[in-house]
Amino acid sequence: MFVTPQRFDFAGPLTLRSGAQLRDYSLAVETYGTLNAARSNAVLICHALNASHHVAGAYADDKENLGWWDNMVGPGKPVDTNRFFVIGVNNLGSCFGSTGPASLNPTTGKPYGADFPVVTVEDWVDAQAQLADVLGIQRFAAVMGGSLGGMQALAWSTRYPDRIAHCIVIASTPKLSAQNIAFNDVARQAIMTDPDFHGGHYYEHGIVPKRGLRVARMIGHITYLSDDDMAEKFGRTLRADNLKFGFDAEFQIESYLRYQGDKFSEYFDANTYLLITKALDYFDPASQHGGNLAAALAKTKSKFFVVSFTTDWRFAPERSREIVRALLEHKRAVTYAEIDAPHGHDAFLLEDPRYHAEIRAYFNRIATEVRA
Amino acid sequence: MFVTPQRFDFAGPLTLRSGAQLRDYSLAVETYGTLNAARSNAVLICHALNASHHVAGAYADDKENLGWWDNMVGPGKPVDTNRFFVIGVNNLGSCFGSTGPASLNPTTGKPYGADFPVVTVEDWVDAQAQLADVLGIQRFAAVMGGSLGGMQALAWSTRYPDRIAHCIVIASTPKLSAQNIAFNDVARQAIMTDPDFHGGHYYEHGIVPKRGLRVARMIGHITYLSDDDMAEKFGRTLRADNLKFGFDAEFQIESYLRYQGDKFSEYFDANTYLLITKALDYFDPASQHGGNLAAALAKTKSKFFVVSFTTDWRFAPERSREIVRALLEHKRAVTYAEIDAPHGHDAFLLEDPRYHAEIRAYFNRIATEVRA
């Protein structure tokens, strides 16, 4: 399936949760499948930290470059693009085509850099709603995401309750814990104290704070994998036959993590990393309701499908159960699946038969509700 | 209780596990209490990552500077210095007085820096045995340590089985997991990629890789605390009344961690941090026995006291149980206490009534065995 990214320009301004405004902005978008005549079969896929609008398929001129959720979205796949019109959108502040810190600041004519405003999950959802307007979609059959993407789906359910029929929240949480925030802040400190960061204005210096970004990614990566999975994949396996008693990578896990860090620091933007971790930190819909999540979810009208994975220690199943319990207080229709999977937080991206069967069954049910 | 650090010089050479040799070396030492006539009441306390020979008491000219285990060791305390002669020793490679990377390399007349050899738990124990010889201690009533210190106690039991009556292993593990190694390596990468590291020879440049060391400490600190404890102490509490939507510390947990990192980077040596994390990585007594821990412990002759803490996710109780099970295969006398404590890995340093009562009771038992 070959796809073509599109770009949508918005005149703005978009007023952000912080009070700052984005004067004008663009969103990079991909769509898969066909919008039906009733415009009732649209599914919005929200991305997590390092992903983009490129959810599924490949490019004609870059056939190896598969979308980040290509195992989930496509013809005949759990989210079946023969039946649904699926939309992937790159979030504001990202580095894959939507307006972000590397874009030109219309006020200065130079890249925003550190002057790009802090964006939140709610801001992203507002921009996605603008996109839906342009695409003529009044109501999504479903909004779906994993991790930070799940937060966006949840924000859709409270912010635009009339515009979402099904809210699908996978491997997510109603808010970060202190430990989650701590890991994010260490990653940010690694980036911000890299001398090549130049206070966020490194573009002008023709350099990138790769060292900090590399360490940030290594930290993140540890939290995406389960302890058991790491033990099984790497354990204490050495790279060579004997111990070298030096500081080159001695164990396989070291070379794996360093490689992941190196690769990431080649393509990802450091300012985007900072912004996206902040969006994670700030998400806390209950905070405007005295910490009462059920109160925050009182205005929702959609049905919900919540999925968690047993070995996810970043956003453990208990965090998903909090969402489920809060929804049940309002007698919302909630389906909950706790998948016994060994791959930690990353499980939401991987092909697992039970997980995919659950998603497929749920979308089969959505399909029966969609007016043609 | 005022104490005075001592320095013991050794002519060497000490042949290390790596094959490298230390030509001569010094150990910084403190002792508390009095060695009895039979020299049978000596207790060796082994330190963990960032601690030293200063286990207990304070200095006459620095009364605020309490030893790192002062709540455990002293007159009338669980390890009662009215009855036991307690020894604290700074390990080789450290930065608190024993020979380490900041010491002068006798070959070059300049600080060792990156040329200081990689040291292992076994090397430390060998140096401690040299110290015991000088002090005239043929057999310790107990060797005791927490975390990395527990590894040293365990190494004493296998390396010098006739010289240790009781081996006390607290909040430790028979080997690091892949995840443990991963956290260590990220910390090392943060230090080694700091431009001020200068390949480990930063002393000559009159600078210290503080940025890397700060990030390393922040990462470490997260793994010392339990998720629950962090949630209870910090949760999502803000520093100010309102969100600032910026990159200054927004949540209390951020300012706490940054402060811990700053403080640590002021007094700790980066090369020492690298060396000590490597010593952790390399510890794996079972590896010379086909991965069979019971086989590695077959030669032990001491009695054992193993202690773990329920919320320690760095070295979880299951890792202590592995040690206990391996010892039981050889019908060794093992006491095991799993303390229900909320403070994660750090619990071994904190004053907890149940924990301290267990240690006190065990030392009361040791006292009955000590010949006067």
Side-chain angles (χ1 to χ4, degrees), chain A residues 17-18 118 120 175-179 181-183 185-186 188-190 192-195 211 214-215 218-219 222-223 225-227 230-231 234-236 243-248 250-251 253-254 257-258 274-275 278 280-284 313, chain B residues 17-18 118 120 175-179 181-183 185-186 188-190 192-195 211 214-215 218-219 222-223 225-227 230-231 234-236 243-248 250-251 253-254 257-258 274-275 278 280-284 313:
Chain A
R17 193 175 148 203
S18 67
V118 165
T120 64
K175 62 173 186 244
L176 295 203
S177 69
Q179 190 188 72
I181 294 172
F183 277 121
D185 197 51
V186 182
R188 285 192 294 263
Q189 293 300 308
M192 294 171 70
T193 61
D194 184 329
R211 286 173 294 237
R214 175 175 179 266
V215 166
M218 290 175 77
I219 296 168
I222 298 175
T223 70
L225 304 183
S226 75
D227 192 14
M230 238 190 217
F234 302 103
R236 295 179 53 88
L243 293 173
K244 304 291 184 197
F245 295 104
F247 289 92
D248 289 338
E250 184 85 281
F251 297 93
I253 181 66
E254 294 174 289
L257 269 188
R258 293 183 194 182
L274 297 179
L275 288 169
K278 283 303 263 189
L280 279 160
D281 288 3
Y282 285 126
F283 185 70
D284 182 9
W313 63 279
Chain B
R17 194 174 147 204
S18 67
V118 165
T120 64
K175 61 173 187 244
L176 294 203
S177 69
Q179 190 188 72
I181 295 172
F183 277 121
D185 198 50
V186 182
R188 285 192 294 262
Q189 293 300 306
M192 294 170 69
T193 61
D194 183 329
R211 288 174 293 237
R214 174 174 180 268
V215 166
M218 291 174 77
I219 296 168
I222 298 175
T223 70
L225 304 182
S226 75
D227 192 15
M230 240 191 215
F234 303 103
R236 296 178 53 87
L243 293 174
K244 305 290 183 198
F245 295 104
F247 290 93
D248 289 338
E250 185 84 282
F251 297 93
I253 180 67
E254 294 174 288
L257 268 188
R258 292 182 195 182
L274 298 179
L275 288 170
K278 284 302 263 189
L280 279 160
D281 288 3
Y282 284 126
F283 185 69
D284 184 8
W313 63 279

Side-chain angles (χ1 to χ4, degrees), chain A residues 92-105:
Chain A
L92 289 170
S94 184
C95 51
F96 296 114
S98 293
T99 302
S103 307
L104 290 187
N105 181 343

Side-chain angles (χ1 to χ4, degrees), chain A residues 250-294:
Chain A
E250 184 85 281
F251 297 93
Q252 295 281 9
I253 181 66
E254 294 174 289
S255 48
Y256 171 78
L257 269 188
R258 293 183 194 182
Y259 172 76
Q260 294 293 334
D262 286 336
K263 202 173 64 168
F264 187 73
S265 72
E266 292 291 332
Y267 75 85
F268 206 80
D269 181 68
N271 280 320
T272 293
Y273 201 90
L274 297 179
L275 288 169
I276 296 191
T277 55
K278 283 303 263 189
L280 279 160
D281 288 3
Y282 285 126
F283 185 70
D284 182 9
S287 66
Q288 281 114 36
H289 300 268
N292 184 335
L293 182 62

